[in-house]
Amino acid sequence: MDTLPEGVVQHILSQLSNARDVAGCAAVARCWRDCVAFLPSLYFPRGAFEALAGGPASAVAFADDAIGRMVDAAARLEELVVYCPFSASLLPHWLAARAATLRVLELRMDSAAADKSGHLNLDSIGVAAGLEELRLWGLTMTRAPAWGRMERLRVLEIVSAILVDAAVNDVLAACPNLTDLSLLGCQCDGEAVISLASLERCRLDFLGSGNSSLRFAAPRVESLEVQGFSFIYLQGGNRLKHLTISKNTGSVHHVEMGKLPELDQLSLRGVQWSWGAISSVLQCASEVKHLVMKVEFSGDYDTLQPFPEIDLVEFFNSHPKLRKFEVHGAMFAALSQENSLKNLDSRFVIPFLEQVVVTVRSSLNAKQKLNTLKSVVRYSVRLRRMIIRISQMKNCHAAGDDFFEEICKFTYMNSGTVCIE
């Protein structure tokens, strides 16, 4: 490397970001140490200083000194990622030193040492008014931080946090130009209000079984994943292409939205949904191309009920563009009732369906279920693959063996199309 021009060496070393790599190169020669000023990115991994400090207790002091020296030296720093433990009281100084150039900030706040008052200093992030991407891990936000208006912020991600709904709403109001929003693994009850004119992608994953609600308005949103809400009100889904609504614990009681003309993929998941909420979403998603239905029960509140009977002809006529259909036990059972096939005739056709994935959980109504499978194969003119998953089927009596034997015969008769997992 001694034969390379100085500018080439600076460019090579400027591609480093891991703090240990930077420190190792800086120890080689003075000219290499001077290249720290040209670093656009610094990354301090978790546990980076424990080996040097002899343990986690004294690692914070080592981290504070190393982070402070490198941040002060990196005059052109654009990205700062800190996963190792650090003193939150020093964060304002680091951000103020690089506020003019900093564009990306990622902090693991659960590894930060608390200040004397016992609270982490989030207010100082507002000093870096030029931030375009902000990611925060493991924080507790009981009030909205005093950031002011973050006009340039485009990406906001908060992971594993304890939040108060009013604080969340105020933070989002202070970031009016977000295009990407992720609140993942967050504990938050109450009502979340999101109204962002530029938002294009959003992931909301809230923990808990409470009856929290979401009011969401984003006219440009194209991808939306919602988990953990019981009451959902969506406005402006004209550009929405991917929609996922799920709730791992508790129930989804109500979903209200308008037509979704551009929807490609819809996924409904959870233990219990009210049938009114399911019907509302399916009616609005009449243009959907890929539908995933994995809901165990319907019913309101503590009453667990099976899905009501669904007419197969009416269902596919209401979703004429459907190309891929993944259906779990409850929905499949609803399509396999006594009157589900009563409207079948020679004029009926499923025009675009190419792939079906069916999970069979019970051998009840075995004859109707088999007839439903045969009907889907018969009337789907473009069907390429039907996958039948039966590994979790509850087999309490001999009827399960008989049903499995019939499915095997059906698979054999349609060996080019149907398979068993």
Side-chain angles (χ1 to χ4, degrees):
M1 291 185 69
D2 292 339
T3 62
L4 294 176
E6 182 179 353
V8 175
V9 175
Q10 290 179 351
H11 176 73
I12 293 173
L13 298 181
S14 70
Q15 305 305 306
L16 299 176
S17 60
N18 191 294
R20 299 194 65 168
D21 296 337
V22 173
C25 288
V28 173
R30 182 181 299 274
C31 62
W32 285 28
R33 188 180 310 136
D34 294 339
C35 292
V36 176
F38 300 96
L39 292 176
S41 176
L42 279 175
Y43 165 57
F44 296 87
R46 198 179 184 98
F49 301 98
E50 291 184 6
L52 299 175
S58 55
V60 174
F62 277 76
D64 290 344
D65 179 62
I67 295 173
R69 284 188 289 105
M70 289 188 181
V71 169
D72 286 339
R76 301 182 183 180
L77 190 65
E78 298 180 3
E79 179 179 9
L80 176 62
V81 180
V82 183
Y83 282 175
C84 64
F86 65 93
S87 298
S89 58
L90 297 177
L91 184 61
H93 169 74
W94 301 337
L95 296 181
R98 300 279 76 89
T101 60
L102 200 60
R103 297 292 177 264
V104 179
L105 177 64
E106 185 168 350
L107 302 173
R108 193 166 188 116
M109 304 302 290
D110 59 354
S111 296
D115 58 24
K116 294 181 180 179
S117 63
H119 298 285
L120 296 173
N121 192 347
L122 291 176
D123 294 346
S124 60
I125 293 178
V127 174
L131 279 180
E132 298 175 1
E133 300 181 19
L134 174 61
R135 296 176 177 85
L136 301 172
W137 295 63
L139 65 129
T140 299
M141 188 184 295
T142 57
R143 63 170 179 83
W147 293 346
R149 296 276 290 185
M150 304 286 283
E151 298 284 352
R152 296 185 179 182
L153 197 65
R154 298 292 183 268
V155 178
L156 175 62
E157 184 173 314
I158 300 177
V159 182
S160 299
I162 300 175
L163 309 173
V164 176
D165 56 351
V168 174
N169 299 337
D170 291 343
V171 165
L172 298 180
C175 309
N177 298 316
L178 289 178
T179 60
D180 294 77
L181 172 64
S182 297
L183 304 176
L184 307 178
C186 295
Q187 299 182 31
C188 182
D189 294 323
E191 182 178 66
V193 180
I194 300 175
S195 181
L196 296 167
S198 302
L199 193 65
E200 298 177 2
R201 291 161 292 275
C202 183
R203 297 174 62 196
L204 305 175
D205 178 14
F206 282 29
L207 305 177
S209 58
N211 293 326
S212 56
S213 61
L214 170 66
R215 294 189 179 274
F216 185 90
R220 296 185 180 181
V221 69
E222 296 182 359
S223 178
L224 175 61
E225 298 180 24
V226 176
Q227 201 286 130
F229 294 94
S230 296
F231 300 88
I232 302 170
Y233 305 88
L234 304 181
Q235 296 180 8
N238 291 336
R239 298 187 181 182
L240 196 60
K241 298 182 182 299
H242 304 278
L243 174 61
T244 297
I245 303 177
S246 61
K247 199 170 194 315
N248 297 330
T249 57
S251 304
V252 177
H253 300 305
H254 182 77
V255 179
E256 185 176 313
M257 62 179 69
K259 290 293 184 180
L260 307 174
E262 299 295 326
L263 194 65
D264 286 333
Q265 183 170 344
L266 171 64
S267 178
L268 305 183
R269 302 171 184 268
V271 177
Q272 182 184 11
W273 281 54
S274 74
W275 182 247
I278 295 176
S279 300
S280 175
V281 177
L282 291 178
Q283 288 175 9
C284 295
S286 59
E287 305 296 315
V288 67
K289 298 179 179 64
H290 181 181
L291 176 61
V292 179
M293 289 288 300
K294 291 189 176 182
V295 181
E296 298 283 351
F297 300 99
S298 64
D300 296 320
Y301 298 95
D302 295 332
T303 304
L304 298 177
Q305 296 178 347
F307 285 12
E309 189 175 90
I310 300 176
D311 187 281
L312 184 138
V313 174
E314 180 182 348
F315 174 79
F316 282 104
N317 284 341
S318 300
H319 303 87
K321 297 182 180 180
L322 200 60
R323 296 184 178 179
K324 185 175 181 180
F325 186 29
E326 298 182 45
V327 55
H328 200 60
M331 182 70 176
F332 177 60
L335 288 166
S336 306
Q337 297 300 312
E338 183 177 356
N339 296 317
S340 295
L341 305 179
K342 65 180 180 180
N343 292 320
L344 283 175
D345 57 41
S346 58
R347 296 172 298 174
F348 173 65
V349 66
I350 305 175
F352 297 108
L353 191 64
E354 298 177 357
Q355 182 174 346
V356 180
V357 180
V358 182
T359 301
V360 183
R361 299 294 302 274
S362 170
S363 58
L364 294 176
N365 298 325
K367 183 177 179 180
Q368 288 91 333
K369 290 178 179 179
L370 194 61
N371 287 337
T372 298
L373 294 175
K374 292 179 179 178
S375 298
V376 171
V377 172
R378 177 182 177 184
Y379 293 100
S380 300
V381 295
R382 296 190 181 181
L383 190 66
R384 294 185 293 105
R385 200 67 168 166
M386 173 182 281
I387 300 172
I388 304 174
R389 293 175 177 167
I390 58 176
S391 60
Q392 298 179 2
M393 186 169 69
K394 298 178 180 179
N395 182 14
C396 300
H397 44 74
D401 294 334
D402 296 337
F403 184 36
F404 178 70
E405 184 177 354
E406 292 298 321
I407 290 179
C408 289
K409 292 179 181 178
F410 170 66
T411 303
Y412 177 76
M413 297 298 295
N414 300 273
S415 58
T417 304
V418 183
C419 68
I420 296 176
E421 284 189 357

